[in-house]
């Protein structure tokens, strides 16, 4: 882990294919964590190894030393550590870039995302699943509520646990929808059932940790979502000084909420987005923090991932926009939603932890096919998910 003022040395080496990435975690006043990675197009490999151009070297990421073997040939991605191309039974096909591959551009997205994932994922979840947070006496119960961007983090947690640690996933409740009324046919090769789409989902890990996801937006079935979750959380914070899981979890929770993970999501215009965030702070987090009860959960907010549409500010302008505006660009100057979030949220004051995607230059790792909001999986969401519960 590098501090904000720390320097790093970057060496460059020409190679046949440019797909190597690295990750740095910046720490702001012990509360704001910024996940920042660098991609460079062309035929350049970026390496954190000081002055060592060896393409089979070891570089240091935010998760320690990770062996990274790069050759002038394309790597065999199917044999990688972790999950890939629907090898995890909990993956959604519409964000599996390997499954969606059709063109050379698709294959490039898969390669970049896969290499990024492999470079940071080895041992990344060890402290989450094998620390005091996951033993029978102190196991955390986590409530995640948001839209499909939050669901990507849930999928990352369960898929990495399932594929990296034998027997760690003890029980899951994921109710796949029989029919997925998808608006983008190029992403919906699987139109229902397993690997299609789901709303509420729960997982229990060996050791006792539980994670429950309930969407408040971007769902397919009102019966497995909670549209007015903010209002419920606000009433509970005011009346009890704590919050509950509500009644829409896929599995009955084993106890109270220990960690609340929230994100407003991308289904609101900027004014309504700001209103929702301010409501969350004024009606939920501040009342919880001021009551200072031991029963209140730890409150974590992750910034909304950057959209990389070919528009003036990178955000989605609607399906009626031009075909050109629906293409993904590699980099944008700012993330309007994240800018609002970082102005309103003050770690240690109105929230416990702010986890920042810091992803302005990650456009090539999006799913593509008119989706410049969701990242390929495996990919960047796995880095954020690994830090999410290790805080």
């Amino acid at each position: 882990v590098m501090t904000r003022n720390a320097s790093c040395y970057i060496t460059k080496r020409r190679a046949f294919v440019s797909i190597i990435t690295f990750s740095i975690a910046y720490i702001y006043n012990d509360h704001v964590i910024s996940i920042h990675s660098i991609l460079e197009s062309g035929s350049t490999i970026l390496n954190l190894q000081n002055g060592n151009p060896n393409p089979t070297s070891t570089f240091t990421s935010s998760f320690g030393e990770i062996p990274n073997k790069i050759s002038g040939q394309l790597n065999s991605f199917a044999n990688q550590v972790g999950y890939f191309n629907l090898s995890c039974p909990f993956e959604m096909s519409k964000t599996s870039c390997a499954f969606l591959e059709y063109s050379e551009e698709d294959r490039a997205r898969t390669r970049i995302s896969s290499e990024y994932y492999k470079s940071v994922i080895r041992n990344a979840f060890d402290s989450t699943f094998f620390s005091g947070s996951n033993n029978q006496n102190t196991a955390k119960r986590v409530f995640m509520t948001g839209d499909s961007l939050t669901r990507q983090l849930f999928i990352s947690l369960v898929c990495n646990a399932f594929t990296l640690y034998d027997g760690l996933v003890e029980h899951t409740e994921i109710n796949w929808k029989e029919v997925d009324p998808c608006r983008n046919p190029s992403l919906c090769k699987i139109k229902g059932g397993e690997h299609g789409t789901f709303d509420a989902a729960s997982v229990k890990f060996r050791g006792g940790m539980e994670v429950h996801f309930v969407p408040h937006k971007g769902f397919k079935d009102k019966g497995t979502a909670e549209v007015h979750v903010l209002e419920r959380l606000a009433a509970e914070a005011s009346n009890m000084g704590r919050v509950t899981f509500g009644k829409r979890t896929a599995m009955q929770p084993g106890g109270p909420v220990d960690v609340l993970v929230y994100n407003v999501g991308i289904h609101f215009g900027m004014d309504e987005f700001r209103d929702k965030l301010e409501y969350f702070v004024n009606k939920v987090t501040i009342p919880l923090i001021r009551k200072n009860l031991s029963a209140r959960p730890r409150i974590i907010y992750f910034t909304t991932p950057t959209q990389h549409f070919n528009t003036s500010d990178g955000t989605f302008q609607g399906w009626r926009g031009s075909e050109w505006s629906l293409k993904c660009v590699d980099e944008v100057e700012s993330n309007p939603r994240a800018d609002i979030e970082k102005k309103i949220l003050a770690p240690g004051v109105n929230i416990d932890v702010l986890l920042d995607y810091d992803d302005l230059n990650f456009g090539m790792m999006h799913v593509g096919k008119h989706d410049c909001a969701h990242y390929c999986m495996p990919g960047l969401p796995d880095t954020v998910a690994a830090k999410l519960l290790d805080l």
Side-chain angles (χ1 to χ4, degrees):
V1 177
M2 304 182 68
T3 63
R4 184 170 175 79
N5 294 322
S7 59
C8 65
Y9 298 90
I10 302 172
T11 62
K12 298 183 178 181
R13 180 177 175 85
R14 292 291 175 186
F16 178 76
V17 61
S18 77
I19 46 182
I20 186 62
T21 66
F22 64 86
S23 175
I24 304 171
Y26 291 125
I27 296 183
Y28 299 77
N29 62 33
D30 297 326
H31 295 285
V32 181
I33 311 296
S34 174
I35 306 294
H36 181 64
S37 299
I38 295 177
L39 297 174
E40 180 165 313
S41 59
S43 56
T44 301
I45 288 181
L46 299 186
N47 196 308
L48 278 185
Q49 188 71 15
N50 292 353
N52 183 358
N54 186 347
T56 60
S57 64
T58 296
F59 69 86
T60 301
S61 79
S62 56
F63 304 115
E65 291 190 348
I66 303 171
N68 180 42
K69 296 183 178 180
I70 301 296
S71 71
Q73 307 294 324
L74 296 179
N75 290 324
S76 175
F77 300 104
N79 295 324
Q80 70 174 42
V81 173
Y83 69 101
F84 183 80
N85 197 8
L86 306 188
S87 65
C88 168
F90 315 109
E91 282 183 84
M92 290 177 56
S93 59
K94 66 183 65 177
T95 54
S96 172
C97 288
F99 179 77
L100 296 172
E101 275 186 10
Y102 177 77
S103 65
E104 284 299 324
E105 181 179 343
D106 293 339
R107 283 186 278 277
R109 293 181 187 280
T110 300
R111 289 196 299 268
I112 292 173
S113 298
S114 178
E115 278 300 316
Y116 176 83
Y117 171 72
K118 286 194 295 182
S119 73
V120 301
I121 209 61
R122 202 183 304 260
N123 305 321
F125 287 87
D126 286 0
S127 59
T128 294
F129 294 126
F130 298 107
S131 68
S133 65
N134 189 32
N135 64 54
Q136 294 292 347
N137 296 322
T138 61
K140 293 178 181 176
R141 286 171 293 270
V142 183
F143 181 42
M144 303 177 69
T145 183
D147 61 9
S148 56
L149 300 173
T150 306
R151 182 172 56 198
Q152 283 199 287
L153 299 186
F154 174 87
I155 292 172
S156 174
L157 287 170
V158 66
C159 279
N160 282 292
F162 180 80
T163 56
L164 294 173
Y165 308 102
D166 186 43
L168 182 59
V169 176
E170 185 175 289
H171 183 73
T172 62
E173 291 288 344
I174 299 179
N175 300 315
W176 296 98
K177 302 301 176 187
E178 292 184 6
V179 178
D180 180 7
C182 182
R183 296 187 60 182
N184 187 346
S186 62
L187 298 181
C188 299
K189 293 184 178 180
I190 296 179
K191 302 183 185 300
E194 187 174 345
H195 298 305
T197 191
F198 63 84
D199 293 332
S202 299
V203 59
K204 182 177 181 180
F205 301 107
R206 185 182 72 238
M209 181 189 291
E210 299 174 14
V211 181
H212 303 268
F213 166 70
V214 177
H216 61 62
K217 205 70 175 174
F219 52 83
K220 306 299 179 184
D221 181 358
K222 290 183 178 180
T224 52
E226 189 174 6
V227 178
H228 302 294
V229 65
L230 269 184
E231 290 79 2
R232 175 179 66 80
L233 295 176
E236 291 174 345
S238 175
N239 297 331
M240 301 185 297
R242 61 183 179 87
V243 296
T244 72
F245 286 97
K247 299 179 179 180
R248 298 298 177 88
T249 57
M251 180 175 73
Q252 182 66 33
V257 177
D258 298 313
V259 181
L260 172 63
V261 179
Y262 182 73
N263 178 263
V264 174
I266 55 175
H267 292 268
F268 305 101
M270 290 302 170
D271 290 340
E272 190 175 3
F273 177 90
R274 182 188 294 273
D275 291 343
K276 292 282 185 183
L277 186 59
E278 289 178 342
Y279 185 93
F280 174 64
V281 168
N282 294 328
K283 300 294 185 179
V284 180
T285 70
I286 289 179
L288 286 174
I289 292 172
R290 282 181 176 171
K291 291 199 175 186
N292 197 29
L293 299 179
S294 59
R296 85 160 177 90
R298 185 165 175 79
I299 306 167
I300 299 176
Y301 189 101
F302 68 92
T303 59
T304 304
T306 301
Q307 295 184 336
H308 289 83
F309 290 95
N310 191 26
T311 59
S312 59
D313 60 1
T315 61
F316 181 61
Q317 303 296 327
W319 291 105
R320 294 182 180 180
S322 67
E323 180 75 14
W324 184 248
S325 72
L326 294 172
K327 293 183 178 296
C328 304
V329 297
D330 289 350
E331 185 173 358
V332 294
E333 293 184 359
S334 66
N335 178 345
R337 290 183 174 87
D339 290 343
I340 292 172
E341 289 161 337
K342 285 183 277 191
K343 287 180 180 178
I344 292 175
L345 298 172
V349 178
N350 58 24
I351 201 166
D352 292 312
V353 177
L354 178 60
L355 185 59
D356 185 6
Y357 258 84
D358 194 15
D359 56 345
L360 297 180
N361 56 344
F362 273 77
M364 190 54 186
M365 290 173 68
H366 282 295
V367 172
K369 303 181 187 297
H370 297 173
D371 185 353
C372 308
H374 298 89
Y375 285 110
C376 295
M377 295 190 74
L380 184 58
D382 298 285
T383 309
V384 179
K387 299 298 295 182
L388 187 66
L389 301 183
D390 187 27
L391 298 170

